[in-house]
Amino acid sequence: MGRIAIFTDDPGWHGKQLSLAFASRGYTCDYVSLTQCRFAIEPGRQPIFIPGFEHALPDAAFVRGVPGGSLEEVVLYLDFLHALKAMAIPVYNDGHAVERSVDKAMTSFLLHNAGLPTPMTWVLRDRDEALRIAEAELKQGNLLISKPLFGSQGEGIRRIEKSTDLFWLTGSHGVYYLQRFVHCEGAGFSDHRVFVINGRAVAAMRRRGKFWLNNVARGATCELIDLEPEMVDLAVKATTALSMDYAGVDIIRDREGRCTVIEVNSIPAWKGLESVCDVNIAGLMADDLITRKMNKNKPELRVAAL
């Protein structure tokens, strides 16, 4: 029986679903916090210490959470993921994929560089210039979203609607991320989440928010939708642009009917999605990790022709 490390500080429902999925495929899972790992560069021992895996590294690692902290702390956590991959341990999603998506500036750049529609965005260090950009957008009748460079589930996000809101311009340790607000089609507030695994969209839902943030964690409701070809194409291309094994891709259809990619999540939740669909997402990801990454180096069995 193989062993898999699930990196998380809060296993919860998602950790349990992953453990059940891997158990049914012959693997045990250990929940591990990246805060408890360390490097030990000493003769005669493995260079990375993972609690519970002192005598042998895991057969694979599934990343369900990367803790916040100082820049040095976050870099160290990602270093552990990079090190495991360098030692031929499959990491799902790997450190590079997590880096690309956790950094909203790089996500916006990579989406734009791949030719995908994404909102107009400015990321800069100079607060005076950030204020100038915001004032110019407001004068043109546009609203802005101010986000911390690192964050999830809507934490620290503000919508700038009028000049007095500029007081709340969010700076993430002195870095300003401004994005033009996209008004969705129809009444109210909504966007779409497409879940992609190994380059294939497996399920999608519409999220209807109580206000302009459509996060399920902020009270948004979920509705099952068909996998529309246009959204599927954008979601798959966005996941490819950020080199992810799996992702939750957030897409909004604006008042003119155009689709825009607003976020790509490398550690997405799927409880809300599974509440409206009959797809076993944890099982699909377990199958993908095992068959595509863990078994790829195993020799093929060949039967001689009689």
Side-chain angles (χ1 to χ4, degrees), residues 68-237:
S70 67
L71 176 60
E72 290 83 359
E73 288 171 323
V74 174
V75 167
L76 179 61
Y77 304 148
L78 292 172
D79 282 346
F80 295 140
L81 303 183
H82 293 315
L84 286 172
K85 184 177 180 180
M87 297 174 72
I89 304 298
V91 181
Y92 196 91
N93 278 306
D94 67 22
H96 288 297
V98 174
E99 282 177 346
R100 293 181 185 100
S101 67
V102 76
D103 178 351
K104 291 181 175 62
M106 184 53 64
T107 298
S108 294
F109 166 76
L110 290 172
L111 291 173
H112 175 75
N113 198 51
L116 301 177
T118 195
M120 291 182 63
T121 303
W122 301 264
V123 187
L124 63 161
R125 182 71 178 81
D126 189 321
R127 180 177 175 82
D128 289 339
E129 181 64 11
L131 287 169
R132 189 197 65 76
I133 292 169
E135 289 170 349
E137 283 291 293
L138 291 175
K139 286 181 180 179
Q140 294 177 40
N142 300 314
L143 305 184
L144 284 172
I145 298 295
S146 175
K147 302 180 183 180
L149 202 60
F150 306 120
S152 62
Q153 297 186 336
E155 294 291 337
I157 298 178
R158 293 184 180 273
R159 188 168 75 163
I160 298 174
E161 303 175 359
K162 53 190 182 300
S163 58
T164 54
D165 293 337
L166 294 175
F167 177 77
W168 300 108
L169 190 64
T170 301
S172 179
H173 298 283
V175 175
Y176 298 90
Y177 180 101
L178 300 172
Q179 192 169 74
R180 182 177 290 180
F181 182 77
V182 180
H183 295 274
C184 70
E185 65 177 354
F189 303 98
S190 68
D191 65 9
H192 306 80
R193 162 65 62 86
V194 182
F195 209 97
V196 178
I197 300 174
N198 187 24
R200 183 173 72 92
V202 300
M205 66 176 175
R206 177 184 289 109
R207 303 184 300 185
R208 293 193 180 276
K210 293 182 178 180
F211 60 116
W212 55 268
L213 272 176
N214 297 308
N215 301 80
V216 174
R218 296 300 184 100
T221 58
C222 306
E223 303 171 7
L224 182 67
I225 60 172
D226 293 331
L227 287 168
E228 302 178 18
E230 181 182 8
M231 287 192 183
V232 166
D233 182 61
L234 282 179
V236 170
K237 287 179 178 177

